[in-house]
């Protein structure tokens, strides 16, 4: 125990010298403010956070009105450099972070008064640092740049605008599609609803999945194969990245935007990537490093999902369990996957059984509800 305390004290001393500082001016008292996996309600004298370890961090806040109602979460990701000083300001008009940069002159005045300001800065919560690193260690700066919204802010609730009148290149709205059958009540109701989309520049820019899960010109037999094995989709997505392992970085990015940023858009993308990576038998030998990292990253993520959330959203149709059962079966029965990867998957499987009581026995038997759909010639 004493060793742990010594390490913490050494870390604290180092971060006093090397840690970054985030000054956040004029934040209203009671605002929910957080960094990484810890949040607080701000006090009257709150001015920001000090001793932030160099690296990637997620800063977020929820405005709270005079009636105590909490606004949707807004945040930004910043890669803090050693001893970096970042200053932000609250805009009372928009009840949000100001889009106007703090001037160099004001930053100089703040730095000159840093000794007096120090007591109003909360220390970074060291107890979450190791866990946070485990959740973000594959997210590169380049990946953040391409995935964050163009606005630079990640919002849990996107602002929507009507896209009802989509103009064609001629400036005239295209005619409605003619239906070869009578219109159903549901379709009539859907036509009456406004067509909404996110305000441009506010949406997360996740890598898009291909429209088809098979190459153009595939035979019916090949289409059947690609519907059972998503390796073509995986390779198509990986082609967008400088490094194949970046897909695991995107999985991490989606997860923290969901876990910390409360973005359901990110949660849906995370689910889709998990499902994809668990259904690529052909790609495993070729992309061994990707799958090795995926097993590590997913285990760290499942540790952090709040259990009530896991029960509410996952348990009714447990996509994580079914996806992993499929992956574990593939790894166990494969003749081309190496023993180390098989052993790693087996240990992960055993830990999941202990933690969640998930049953991974009889992997050699195909579940009834997983019977494949065959495309006939």
């Amino acid at each position: 125990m004493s060793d742990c305390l010594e390490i913490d004290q050494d870390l604290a001393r180092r971060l006093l010298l090397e840690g970054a500082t985030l000054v956040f001016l004029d934040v209203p008292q009671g605002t929910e403010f957080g960094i990484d996996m810890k949040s607080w309600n701000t006090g009257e004298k709150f001015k920001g956070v000090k001793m932030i370890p160099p690296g990637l961090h997620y800063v977020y806040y929820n405005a709270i009105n005079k009636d105590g109602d909490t606004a949707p979460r807004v945040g930004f990701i910043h890669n803090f450099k050693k001893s970096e000083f970042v200053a932000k300001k609250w805009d009372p008009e928009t009840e949000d972070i100001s889009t106007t940069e703090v001037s160099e002159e004001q930053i100089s005045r703040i730095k000159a008064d840093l000794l007096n300001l120090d007591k109003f800065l909360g220390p970074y919560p060291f107890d979450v640092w190791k866990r946070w690193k485990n959740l973000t260690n594959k997210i590169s700066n380049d990946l953040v740049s391409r995935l964050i919204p163009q606005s630079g802010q990640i919002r849990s609730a996107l602002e929507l605008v009507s896209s009802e009148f989509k103009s064609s290149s001629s400036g005239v709205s295209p005619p409605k599609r003619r239906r070869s059958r009578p219109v159903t009540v549901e379709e009539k109701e859907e036509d009456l609803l406004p067509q909404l989309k996110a305000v441009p520049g506010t949406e997360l820019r996740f890598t898009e999945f291909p429209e088809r899960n098979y190459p153009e010109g595939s035979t019916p037999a090949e289409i059947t194969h690609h519907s059972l094995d998503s390796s073509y989709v995986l390779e198509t997505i990986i082609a967008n990245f400088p490094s194949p392992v970046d897909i695991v970085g995107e999985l991490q990015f989606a997860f923290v935007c969901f876990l910390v940023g409360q973005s359901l858009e990110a949660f849906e993308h995370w689910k889709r990537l998990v499902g994809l990576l668990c259904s690529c038998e052909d790609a495993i030998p070729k992309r061994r490093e990707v799958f090795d990292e995926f097993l590590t990253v997913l285990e760290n993520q499942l540790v952090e999902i709040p259990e009530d959330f896991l029960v509410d959203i996952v348990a009714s149709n447990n996509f994580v369990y079914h996806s992993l059962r499929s992956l574990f079966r593939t790894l166990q029965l494969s003749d081309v996957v190496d023993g180390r990867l098989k052993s790693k998957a087996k240990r992960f499987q055993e830990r999941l059984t202990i933690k969640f009581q998930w049953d991974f026995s009889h992997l050699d038997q195909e579940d009834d509800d997983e019977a494949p759909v065959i495309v006939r010639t």
Side-chain angles (χ1 to χ4, degrees):
M1 186 69 181
S2 61
D3 286 344
C4 243
L5 286 172
E6 281 174 22
I7 291 169
D8 286 345
Q9 287 166 3
D10 288 344
L11 177 64
R13 277 194 292 269
R14 194 168 79 246
L15 289 177
L16 274 170
L17 300 172
E18 299 180 2
T21 301
L22 169 67
V23 172
F24 202 170
L25 301 173
D26 304 331
V27 178
Q29 185 175 350
T31 300
E32 186 177 343
F33 171 87
I35 182 167
D36 301 342
M37 297 156 72
K38 273 286 178 74
S39 64
W40 312 264
N41 288 98
T42 58
E44 186 183 354
K45 297 178 179 179
F46 170 82
K47 299 293 183 187
V49 182
K50 61 183 176 180
M51 300 166 67
I52 301 170
L56 200 75
H57 296 280
Y58 197 135
V59 178
Y60 52 93
Y61 45 90
N62 300 66
I64 297 178
N65 68 15
K66 59 181 186 296
D67 298 320
D69 299 321
T70 303
R73 180 161 290 180
V74 184
F76 63 90
I77 290 176
H78 185 82
N79 191 353
F80 286 89
K81 308 296 187 293
K82 179 179 172 182
S83 305
E84 185 179 8
F85 188 91
V86 177
K88 301 286 184 182
K89 196 170 184 178
W90 188 262
D91 184 343
E93 291 295 319
T94 60
E95 294 188 328
D96 203 340
I97 196 168
S98 175
T99 54
T100 305
E101 294 290 326
V102 179
S103 68
E104 288 297 328
E105 184 185 341
Q106 194 170 4
I107 288 175
S108 296
R109 286 203 305 270
I110 295 167
K111 285 183 173 178
D113 194 41
L114 204 52
L115 280 177
N116 291 324
L117 188 67
D118 185 76
K119 56 182 174 289
F120 305 125
L121 300 174
Y124 178 86
F126 304 129
D127 55 316
V128 304
W129 176 225
K130 186 177 180 183
R131 290 160 54 206
W132 178 251
K133 282 198 294 185
N134 287 339
L135 291 178
T136 57
N137 60 351
K138 297 298 171 187
I139 306 176
S140 66
N141 283 336
D142 289 343
L143 199 57
V144 171
S145 297
R146 67 177 274 172
L147 297 179
I148 58 169
Q150 289 175 329
S151 66
Q153 292 181 321
I154 301 166
R155 295 180 175 273
S156 64
L158 290 176
E159 186 182 344
L160 302 175
V161 291
S162 174
S163 60
E164 190 174 351
F165 300 107
K166 293 180 182 173
S167 60
S168 65
S169 57
S170 63
V172 179
S173 295
K176 289 190 175 180
R177 234 172 357 114
R178 299 181 68 152
R179 294 186 174 96
S180 58
R181 54 175 173 73
V183 179
T184 65
V185 173
E186 289 80 7
E187 286 169 340
K188 283 181 180 176
E189 289 176 350
E190 189 178 329
D191 285 344
L192 292 172
L193 292 172
Q195 300 299 308
L196 300 175
K197 64 176 183 178
V199 172
T202 63
E203 68 273 35
L204 289 158
R205 295 177 291 166
F206 290 124
T207 305
E208 292 185 4
F209 278 59
E211 288 184 13
R212 290 187 309 267
N213 63 353
Y214 53 89
E216 191 174 350
S218 295
T219 65
E222 288 166 342
I223 292 172
T224 295
H225 175 75
H226 290 300
S227 72
L228 301 175
D229 186 312
S230 300
S231 296
Y232 166 77
V233 176
L234 178 67
E235 292 297 334
T236 304
I237 291 175
I238 278 177
N240 291 286
F241 298 118
S243 166
V245 177
D246 283 341
I247 193 171
V248 180
E250 182 158 333
L251 182 80
Q252 287 189 323
F253 181 89
F255 186 78
V256 296
C257 288
F258 141 61
L259 181 72
V260 173
Q262 300 178 345
S263 166
L264 286 178
E265 176 193 4
F267 177 64
E268 291 302 324
H269 190 69
W270 176 75
K271 281 201 302 185
R272 208 170 172 195
L273 286 176
V274 169
L276 170 66
L277 286 159
C278 287
S279 58
C280 296
E281 181 174 356
D282 289 352
I284 294 173
K286 179 183 177 184
R287 301 296 185 188
R288 187 198 180 284
E289 184 187 4
V290 170
F291 288 92
D292 186 40
E293 294 291 356
F294 171 59
L295 290 175
T296 301
V297 162
L298 188 61
E299 180 165 7
N300 287 328
Q301 291 176 342
L302 292 180
V303 166
E304 298 299 343
I305 292 185
E307 288 199 29
D308 55 345
F309 194 93
L310 198 70
V311 168
D312 290 345
I313 292 194
V314 179
S316 55
N317 179 18
N318 195 331
F319 80 93
V320 174
Y321 167 70
H322 288 297
S323 298
L324 281 173
R325 188 174 173 85
S326 174
L327 177 62
F328 291 153
R329 179 192 299 126
T330 298
L331 292 170
Q332 179 177 299
L333 302 180
S334 174
D335 294 327
V336 293
V337 174
D338 65 273
R340 286 179 62 192
L341 193 59
K342 285 188 177 188
S343 297
K344 182 172 186 172
K346 183 71 175 171
R347 290 193 299 273
F348 182 21
Q349 182 181 312
E350 289 165 355
R351 288 191 289 267
L352 287 172
T353 299
I354 293 168
K355 182 172 176 61
F356 299 119
Q357 284 75 57
W358 289 350
D359 180 10
F360 292 108
S361 58
H362 309 297
L363 288 176
D364 53 335
Q365 298 173 13
E366 194 171 78
D367 299 339
D368 291 338
D369 62 351
E370 291 180 350
V373 176
I374 304 296
V375 178
R376 301 293 179 192
T377 54

